[in-house]
Amino acid sequence: MRTPEDVLAELRALRAGDLPTHGGRTLAYVYDSGMSEVDSLGAAAHALASSANGLDPTAFPSLLRMENDLVSAAASLLGDVPGVVGSVTSGGTESCLLAVLAARDGPPSPSIVLPTTAHAAFHKAAHLFGLRRIDVPVDPVTFRADPAAMAAAIDDSTVLVVASAPSYAHGVLDPVPEIAAAARERGVRMHVDACIGGWVLPYFARLGADVPPFDFRVPGVTSISVDLHKYAYCPKGTSVLLHASAELRRTHYFASASWPGYTMLNTTIQSTRSGGPLAAAWAVVNHLGSDGYLRLASAAREAVSRIRSGIGELPGLRVLGDPVSTLIAFTGDDGFDLFTVADEMKARGWYVQPQFAHLSSPVNLHLTVTAANHGSEKEFLADLAASVDAARLAGPVVVDPAVAEFVAALDPDTLTSAQFADLLAAAGLGGASGLPDRMAPINALLATAPGPLRERLLLEFLGALYMP
């Protein structure tokens, strides 16, 4: 048996190869308050409750109390209207899944109506629960949902209409009141995906920002998702799904007495749920309080403003849409390759997230700005400027015509393991070489593939990664 010290030493060595989760250098995937005591408090609370099981709230009433407290805090923040209930989930995707599941019962072939900028979690929900997805084009310049087009897409099969506050890809806020009014007129549920913005936009509004209405004060909004492990700065993974009434929530619950064991009762997709994440979130939310979150929102808002203004001043760069929250997407002119810019930024210690072109949205780089970015904006912008200069100097990324031709001939429905192995070899990813230091050539190659083929290629690659 290995000693605890030895095991932890190996874990630290493994973690050394990961992107940094603190310091504001990773502008995707992580949400950093910049406050070390928040992390230590969350870790201590997690340890205290990690062995408790949320499967049975009568056995672990502490978890029931903490969940109700978190739901109450989220409901107060998002409209503070009577009757709102909710559930704590493992993350935004589970919250979105449950919102769709709760709405599914009704017509024989149910559908959901969503803008093309809605989070892919809703694609997953439609796939898992057997609903048809009605994708509605957004404004090609603002990337906001088109209320008239959304209203026209609602029919007798529609069980749920979705809007984003804000959308992940561009950080823009959909016109929730107009969309909710259309859903309400047809007697259809309306979900606001506020996983990103739900815990920070209300504080932005208190700071004087012009935040259009998006919460339960908007007539017709029947459910809202808000992630605590985002701008509530809680450890992963906790999210809250709120419903306007207990009746609307009931259909995402599950019960089964049709077996010889205990009567199975689930409030979420999961059955067994560690009390660790719940307790960690409860501790952090109670520690920071409204004043703490207002200070963190102020820091994040100022960082967003500085970074957005700085990007606008760099030649060849422009911000996409009109982001209202903490997310920024920016694109470039034809004089340099954005995938190369991402590589150059990583070489300078920053991770920015490349996003492929989709419909009217060009290839762009995505930033998730947090309170931890406050104070390092000048350094970030200086490195971004240097990265753009380096990308201009490097010139365009050229995909080998033979490899591009090979990719173009692939059929995602009939792709074989041998074809995928050949593609990996052609891309220089064969054998045990692992990922290259620079991803621009790989991303440029993937950009030549249509969406369905890119999905299949990346799924095959994911499967290859998870091979012990």
Side-chain angles (χ1 to χ4, degrees):
M1 185 169 66
R2 299 173 64 184
T3 66
E5 293 78 10
D6 181 41
V7 172
L8 289 175
E10 182 176 354
L11 176 56
R12 292 187 189 97
L14 290 170
R15 287 280 287 115
D18 293 343
L19 291 171
T21 56
H22 296 87
R25 309 289 293 194
T26 302
L27 285 91
Y29 306 124
V30 298
Y31 299 81
D32 182 13
S33 68
M35 302 170 65
S36 59
E37 72 271 19
V38 169
D39 297 324
S40 57
L41 172 63
H46 190 288
L48 281 172
S50 62
S51 59
N53 190 345
L55 173 61
D56 187 346
T58 66
F60 301 97
S62 66
L63 302 187
L64 176 63
R65 163 67 186 278
M66 288 187 284
E67 179 156 354
N68 281 335
D69 284 352
L70 288 172
V71 168
S72 178
S76 296
L77 198 60
L78 294 169
D80 197 20
V81 299
V84 173
V85 297
S87 299
V88 174
T89 75
S90 64
T93 291
E94 187 179 13
S95 289
C96 295
L97 290 176
L98 288 171
V100 174
L101 180 63
R104 181 184 61 176
D105 295 339
S109 182
S111 67
I112 56 174
V113 171
L114 62 158
T116 52
T117 49
H119 197 282
F122 294 98
H123 302 197
K124 184 175 185 178
H127 171 73
L128 290 176
F129 302 142
L131 289 87
R132 290 185 301 110
R133 205 177 78 226
I134 310 299
D135 297 332
V136 181
V138 299
D139 185 287
V141 176
T142 67
F143 303 104
R144 299 177 77 221
D146 180 340
M150 294 285 287
I154 301 171
D155 61 24
D156 292 341
S157 73
T158 306
V159 295
L160 185 69
V161 178
V162 176
S164 303
S167 62
Y168 180 84
H170 306 102
V172 301
L173 184 62
D174 286 334
V176 171
E178 294 90 337
I179 297 171
R184 187 184 188 202
E185 184 178 352
R186 296 295 297 269
V188 175
R189 296 191 192 207
M190 197 273 179
H191 179 77
V192 176
D193 175 13
C195 288
I196 291 277
W199 207 274
V200 72
L201 285 175
Y203 290 105
F204 274 21
R206 294 182 194 181
L207 291 166
D210 181 15
V211 178
F214 69 92
D215 58 26
F216 285 114
R217 290 169 293 185
V218 176
V221 171
T222 58
S223 59
I224 302 175
S225 51
V226 52
D227 288 0
L228 302 181
H229 60 216
K230 290 188 170 71
Y231 288 93
Y233 296 107
C234 299
K236 297 182 182 297
T238 45
S239 173
V240 175
L241 172 62
L242 299 173
H243 289 282
S245 71
E247 182 180 357
L248 293 171
R249 178 182 62 177
R250 188 173 297 115
T251 43
H252 90 230
Y253 280 7
F254 177 80
S256 178
S258 301
W259 74 306
Y262 63 91
T263 299
M264 188 175 183
L265 298 172
N266 297 148
T267 59
T268 67
I269 299 293
Q270 303 175 86
S271 288
T272 289
R273 293 189 293 157
S274 168
L278 179 65
W282 182 88
V284 169
V285 168
N286 276 281
H287 168 63
L288 288 173
S290 182
D291 290 343
Y293 282 118
L294 191 65
R295 288 194 297 271
L296 289 169
S298 178
R301 185 182 179 217
E302 191 168 342
V304 169
S305 177
R306 292 174 180 174
I307 291 173
R308 179 178 177 177
S309 296
I311 290 172
E313 293 171 1
L314 291 177
L317 296 182
R318 63 181 175 90
V319 172
L320 295 173
D322 183 17
V324 298
S325 184
T326 53
L327 310 179
I328 299 172
F330 63 93
T331 191
D333 59 28
D334 294 332
F336 57 93
D337 181 80
L338 280 174
F339 296 138
T340 301
V341 173
D343 284 344
E344 292 291 334
M345 287 295 283
K346 189 172 183 181
R348 290 165 173 78
W350 304 93
Y351 178 82
V352 298
Q353 187 176 49
Q355 295 189 140
F356 292 100
H358 181 73
L359 301 176
S360 66
S361 181
V363 170
N364 64 83
L365 298 180
H366 177 275
L367 309 178
T368 298
V369 181
T370 68
N373 293 110
H374 187 264
S376 62
E377 301 92 343
K378 287 185 178 179
E379 182 185 359
F380 173 84
L381 290 166
D383 283 340
L384 179 59
S387 296
V388 170
D389 289 342
R392 289 189 192 277
L393 186 62
V397 176
V398 178
V399 177
D400 186 320
V403 176
E405 184 178 356
F406 179 78
V407 170
L410 295 175
D411 182 345
D413 295 326
T414 61
L415 181 69
T416 66
S417 298
Q419 287 176 318
F420 182 68
D422 289 343
L423 180 59
L424 285 182
L429 294 173
S433 58
L435 290 175
D437 291 333
R438 301 184 70 85
M439 289 297 295
I442 305 301
N443 284 327
L445 177 61
L446 287 170
T448 68
L453 177 57
R454 192 187 316 140
E455 291 172 355
R456 179 63 192 277
L457 291 173
L458 289 173
L459 284 174
E460 290 294 331
F461 180 67
L462 192 67
L465 288 178
Y466 285 96
M467 294 292 288

